[in-house]
Amino acid sequence: SIVPNPFQPRREFKPEELADLENSIAENGLLQPLVVRPAQGAKNKFELVAGERRLRSVSRLGWSDVSVIVREVDDTTLLVLALVENIQRQNLSPLEEARGYKTHSDQFGLSQEEIATAVGRSRPTVANMLRLLGLPASVRRLLEEGSLSAGHARALLAVEDPVRAGDLGRRAAREGWSVREMETQVRLMEKGGGDGAGGSTRGKRPRPHPVTDPVRHSLEDALRGILGTRVLLRSGRSGSGRISIPFSDSEEFERIFEILAGDPPSKFID
């Protein structure tokens, strides 16, 4: 009878965390009831307000019924409660939290000050979290994977070129930079126009020939942001053309391949 929270900000539930909670509930019972609200337009159905991990765990245990608290809450309150529960438990990744704030803003028209008050954060904290959504896709992926922290990501916001930001992010993750070291490398890049490492460690990437058509130029920029590398669109006659995607090493090739194909290269090799 319980259906998922449509505004659940958390997307990743680690199997090991669920296994620990499942074992605890099996041993000690469900100590804290789930919080639900009546589902609109559905008889005898309830939308989950708080307790996603507990619901998943008791479902895996095969329980047919659980204790719940039924509350009458509107959509805005539902989102706030889901966010607050996850924030208090430190269950949300930085991007999940940022997307939750963006839903507050886009769907319910709340200001950053109103969002901050609702979830018990400061307005600058909410503003900085929302800025993370503007990072290049390659950096957001590293942040989502846990390879970079929110502090690393905030430092990269100062890098306007998405390709350079992606390069710095991957190097920071690979070499285990601290946030302070990331900030230093970003400052070096801004001062010298280099790669943020006090000098280039690779040959400089070729500068693509500019696209004169503004529409194609926008599409080229979009592809650069998605792939986190240089992309060059060349136009031919009758609408034909070519998309060039250079890569610097095998690691970058595998990363780009997985973005395009949806799976790593190893899946396609016998």
Side-chain angles (χ1 to χ4, degrees), residues 2 33-36 46 66-70:
I2 301 176
L34 307 179
V35 181
V36 299
F46 299 86
V66 291
S67 298
V68 301
I69 298 172
V70 181

Side-chain angles (χ1 to χ4, degrees), residues 54-69:
R54 280 169 281 153
L55 178 61
R56 287 173 180 248
S57 296
V58 297
S59 297
R60 285 157 57 106
L61 288 169
W63 288 22
S64 59
D65 54 12
V66 291
S67 298
V68 301
I69 298 172

